[in-house]
Amino acid sequence: MPQQHTAGRWVRLVLIGLAAGFLSGLFGVGGGILIVPALLLLVSFDQRTAAGTSLAAIVPMSVVGVVSYALGGSVDWVAAALLAAGAIVGAQVGSHLLSRLPRRALRWGFIVFLFVVIVSLFLVVPSRDASIEFSPVAVIGLIVLGLIVGVLSGLLGIGGGAMVVPMLILLFGASDLIAKGTSLLMMIPTALSGTIGNLLRKNVDLPAAAVIGISACTTTALGAVVAAGITPQAANLLFAAFLAAVATQLIVKALRFPST
């Protein structure tokens, strides 16, 4: 449920948005992978409200990110549409489960997800020249990937880019920049779908989501510029280090306060 925010909490929400926006543009993620743990650790949100609020905040920053990557020709519109087709359905399933799963299970599920992403980053061979080759198997695979990502989106409050980006590179042969731009485009309908479900179940703090989302829009384009200026290998190492730090903080909190 929405919380009463003090001046200090508003400042923390703005800072979360600025950081999430930069990471969104840099890594092609929605920013929820930072927003959810930040809301838990810095603003004392419960897991369900953190997930729902994060998903709502992802929408505006994803729009800015898509524009930034599209200007450089780094968006595959067909692949994004196929991913979104599965993700829209999956997001409703995830937001439905969000109201029914125990809080502790959600937290540990998010931690496991982070480690899966970290491992996947070391399986990817980044390239700036690759593109997605479409075939019947690839089309079905993109829809299935979107479905899985949608469930995670509604359940964990993430846009799904942390899974989509490495999977597009590893399984579908996309370049790292195309994977990031396509991921951000796919997130827009996915996050909208999950947000509608979470609003119906009262799992969104709309004022907090608005502050985070608007703040994020000011730094997303900068993140995209930096992404194009560093090597794919360096981007992967930075992302893996960031996720490991987030996972470690959440593990400490889960062990120290298992009932919260």
Side-chain angles (χ1 to χ4, degrees), residues 200-217:
L200 293 174
R201 297 173 181 87
K202 303 185 185 305
N203 288 324
V204 181
D205 186 324
L206 277 179
V211 170
I212 294 171
I214 294 171
S215 301
C217 288

Side-chain angles (χ1 to χ4, degrees), residues 16-245:
I16 290 169
L18 293 174
F22 180 76
L23 292 175
S24 176
L26 179 60
F27 297 123
V29 301
I33 206 147
L34 168 68
I35 296 171
V36 172
L39 288 176
L40 292 173
L41 297 170
L42 302 179
V43 198
S44 301
F45 273 42
D46 64 74
Q47 179 71 47
R48 292 187 178 89
T49 307
T53 301
S54 168
L55 202 58
I58 283 170
V59 177
M61 75 177 80
S62 295
V63 172
V64 174
V66 168
V67 172
S68 301
Y69 277 94
L71 290 174
S74 296
V75 177
D76 190 316
W77 301 87
V78 175
L82 293 171
L83 287 165
I88 289 172
V89 176
Q92 292 301 313
V93 175
S95 61
H96 178 76
L97 293 174
L98 180 62
S99 300
R100 287 162 172 75
L101 293 180
R103 188 177 306 171
R104 188 176 182 184
L106 288 174
R107 175 173 295 157
W108 281 107
F110 189 63
I111 291 169
V112 171
F113 170 76
L114 291 179
F115 280 109
V116 170
V117 172
I118 290 170
V119 172
S120 74
L121 288 172
F122 290 97
L123 299 176
V124 173
V125 181
S127 171
R128 286 280 155 88
D129 301 320
S131 60
I132 299 174
E133 299 292 335
F134 290 97
S135 67
V137 172
V139 169
I140 294 172
L142 286 167
I143 295 174
V144 171
L145 176 59
L147 181 65
I148 296 171
V149 167
V151 172
L152 291 174
S153 174
L155 186 59
L156 299 177
I158 60 174
M163 173 180 285
V164 171
V165 172
M167 292 299 101
L168 285 180
I169 298 170
L170 181 65
L171 300 179
F172 299 95
S175 73
D176 67 310
L177 292 182
I178 288 178
K180 292 173 182 178
T182 303
S183 169
L184 287 169
L185 178 58
M186 176 275 299
M187 283 177 211
I188 297 172
T190 304
L192 282 171
S193 175
T195 296
I196 291 171
N198 283 325
L199 281 171
L200 293 174
R201 297 173 181 87
K202 303 185 185 305
N203 288 324
V204 181
D205 186 324
L206 277 179
V211 170
I212 294 171
I214 294 171
S215 301
C217 288
T218 66
T219 55
T220 302
L222 175 61
V225 171
V226 174
I230 63 176
T231 66
Q233 292 87 347
N236 271 19
L237 289 175
L238 287 172
F239 196 20
F242 164 71
L243 295 183

